[in-house]
Amino acid sequence: MNRSLAEIGGGLLAISQFTLLGDTRKGRRPGFDQTANPATARRLFEQFVEMLRKTTDLTIETGIFGAHMKVELLNDGPVTFVLDSRA
């Protein structure tokens, strides 16, 4: 945990996931009222990826925006972080 992706020769996989903003505080189904419209979401995602590519030497890969994808993940570490920009 004390070394960066660059230090370990790692890369970054950025995949858009609109369901991250699903509100599950009430009812049986998550609410997606607060998600951005698809055009705005795509623009923000592409800006994020472009910023990573311009400001790092990391290998950056992406999924396909808006596509149905199966992603397999192996968490290799002592912790998993949940990032909440409203905290």
Side-chain angles (χ1 to χ4, degrees):
M1 280 182 50
N2 294 328
R3 297 181 350 177
S4 70
L5 281 176
E7 290 172 322
I8 64 169
L12 191 136
L13 175 61
I15 299 173
S16 64
Q17 187 176 0
F18 81 95
T19 55
L20 289 177
L21 197 58
D23 183 353
T24 58
R25 291 179 287 181
K26 64 180 181 176
R28 294 179 179 218
R29 295 182 178 198
F32 299 106
D33 299 0
Q34 299 301 310
T35 59
N37 67 60
T40 300
R42 178 185 295 269
R43 180 178 49 79
L44 291 171
F45 179 72
E46 289 173 354
Q47 286 175 349
F48 168 71
V49 171
E50 186 62 26
M51 183 269 311
L52 289 171
R53 288 185 171 141
K54 285 182 177 178
T55 60
T56 72
D57 291 326
L58 297 173
T59 298
I60 309 294
E61 299 290 341
T62 65
I64 299 168
F65 188 91
H68 179 86
M69 295 176 286
K70 291 184 179 183
V71 177
E72 189 172 318
L73 169 72
L74 172 65
N75 279 339
D76 184 12
V79 298
T80 299
F81 294 98
V82 176
L83 304 176
D84 183 349
S85 62
R86 291 179 269 186

